[in-house]
Amino acid sequence: MPDDNPELHDRATRKYQRLVEGMSASLRDRGTPEPAATLAPQVALACYRTGRRMAGLDPAALPGAVDAAFEQLTESTR
């Protein structure tokens, strides 16, 4: 697991940052206004990472866990 290895953790963090930057750029290119173009990819990444922790070692549980993280977020903002 990346969290157990500092080098893998650092590499994963940089990979996620590049992914978020790419999504933000793509949203801006499609006309998404700020701050949504910056915030949306960060929220998506947070829900993915939370879902990954919730799913543990079961890859089949990941989609449902990510959905549950998004649901928890949307419920808390109502």
Side-chain angles (χ1 to χ4, degrees):
M1 298 292 289
D3 293 334
D4 298 336
N5 181 311
E7 286 183 29
L8 290 178
H9 178 75
D10 182 55
R11 185 168 44 177
T13 298
R14 285 181 285 146
K15 179 176 73 173
Y16 289 141
Q17 185 59 37
R18 284 191 307 273
L19 181 63
V20 164
E21 289 169 2
M23 288 189 288
S24 291
S26 179
L27 287 170
R28 280 186 207 93
D29 289 347
R30 294 168 190 229
T32 303
E34 291 294 343
T38 297
L39 183 59
Q42 294 289 346
V43 170
L45 177 59
C47 289
Y48 167 75
R49 293 181 84 169
T50 299
R52 205 171 128 219
R53 281 191 289 277
M54 291 168 45
L57 298 176
D58 182 4
L62 181 60
V66 173
D67 287 346
F70 270 111
E71 184 65 28
Q72 191 71 24
L73 179 65
T74 58
E75 286 179 7
S76 68
T77 59
R78 289 182 191 165

